[in-house]
Amino acid sequence: MNSSARSAAVGVFDSGVGGVSVLRDMAQRMPRERFLYFGDNVNAPYGTRPEPEIRDLALAAADFLASRGVKAMVVACNTATSAAIEVLRARYDMPVVGMEPALKPAAERTRTRSVGIIATPATFQGELFSNLVRRYTSDLCVLSQACPGLVDAVEAGALDTEDTAELLQTYLSPMIEAQVDQLVLGCTHYPFLRPAIEQIMGPDTCIIDPAPSIARQVALVLKQ
Ligand code: DGL
């Protein structure tokens, strides 16, 4: 890589503001890197759309970043990763890093043998998720809860409203009943709801946000 290619920005995209939760960790870990963020607010949420549509939207977002000369791309969206990561990797001659629901660390840490994951409906329907379940959690009780409405709440900035708290209560109650001790945030919008989630789940549940490990991975890829 010559020096002008090295100083190019890292492209990051999501359906909206969710990917900022990943950008935050990347900017902290790599303070000298430049980042170009694309949030496709017009088309959010992605997670309730059919897979081919999500793939097309992801391609359009990624093409935009590629046209701006980024040197690497981070798909800071579980839903878009699930629908399009392979197509994106085949399309560009640059590293493309995606999100992965953090079932592996959840499986390693659980004591109750009961782990929970919240994500968008499309993420649960994807092959990436079923492969991870098979690979890491086949001997555990896995509660997967699709959470339509939460992405809209985050996009609207409704982080601590009564409606959002009620929605979270509905989605998380079965997790408490099942004595889940690891809860994976499988959508990059959800870390913005972390205080509300922690309040419902209580101190005995560990909330796993994959952003720090994605930031670590991106730093490694850029070094290589
Ligand atoms: N941040 C996206 C994700 O990680 C949200 C998808 C959506 O727009 O529904 O899945």
Side-chain angles (χ1 to χ4, degrees):
M1 223 189 259
N2 63 34
S3 68
S4 82
R6 246 198 314 271
S7 66
V10 175
V12 185
F13 77 89
D14 176 49
S15 63
V17 297
V20 174
S21 67
V22 185
L23 181 63
R24 199 166 52 182
D25 280 83
M26 290 193 295
Q28 236 166 47
R29 180 167 275 271
M30 296 166 274
R32 295 215 173 125
E33 289 293 344
R34 295 191 310 122
F35 295 94
L36 179 61
Y37 186 86
F38 180 83
D40 191 10
N41 307 74
V42 174
N43 293 302
Y46 283 4
T48 44
R49 295 172 183 270
E51 195 177 81
E53 222 173 283
I54 299 168
R55 195 172 305 123
D56 287 349
L57 290 169
L59 282 174
D63 278 353
F64 169 77
L65 290 172
S67 76
R68 306 299 293 260
V70 299
K71 63 180 173 186
M73 219 177 291
V74 180
V75 186
C77 174
N78 292 76
T79 308
T81 300
S82 171
I85 194 74
E86 272 156 33
V87 186
L88 293 174
R89 287 195 172 128
R91 191 173 174 94
Y92 307 109
D93 190 20
M94 67 173 101
V96 180
V97 177
M99 302 299 299
E100 183 175 290
L103 286 177
K104 183 171 184 249
E108 286 164 357
R109 292 176 203 164
T110 182
R111 284 163 192 269
T112 59
R113 315 292 296 156
S114 182
V115 304
I117 169 164
I118 50 176
T120 68
T123 294
F124 287 128
Q125 281 153 22
E127 228 173 84
L128 179 64
F129 177 69
S130 43
N131 286 343
L132 288 171
V133 169
R134 219 171 306 128
R135 188 150 169 213
Y136 298 116
T137 58
S138 54
D139 57 341
L140 301 177
C141 164
V142 180
L143 259 83
S144 32
Q145 177 66 60
C147 302
L150 287 188
V151 168
D152 310 71
V154 174
E155 287 291 318
L159 304 184
D160 52 11
T161 65
E162 244 171 64
D163 285 353
T164 304
E166 239 171 68
L167 206 53
L168 280 170
Q169 189 74 52
T170 310
Y171 292 144
L172 296 176
S173 293
M175 307 272 180
I176 297 168
E177 272 158 43
Q179 297 188 320
V180 153
D181 68 346
Q182 310 291 320
L183 177 65
V184 176
L185 305 183
C187 168
T188 55
H189 278 74
Y190 301 166
F192 293 112
L193 297 168
R194 190 171 180 144
I197 293 171
E198 279 174 347
Q199 201 172 353
I200 294 171
M201 295 306 295
D204 295 336
T205 306
C206 169
I207 313 287
I208 307 182
D209 171 8
S213 74
I214 298 297
R216 237 184 344 261
Q217 195 187 333
V218 173
L220 205 69
V221 165
L222 291 179
K223 216 185 232 171
Q224 284 165 356

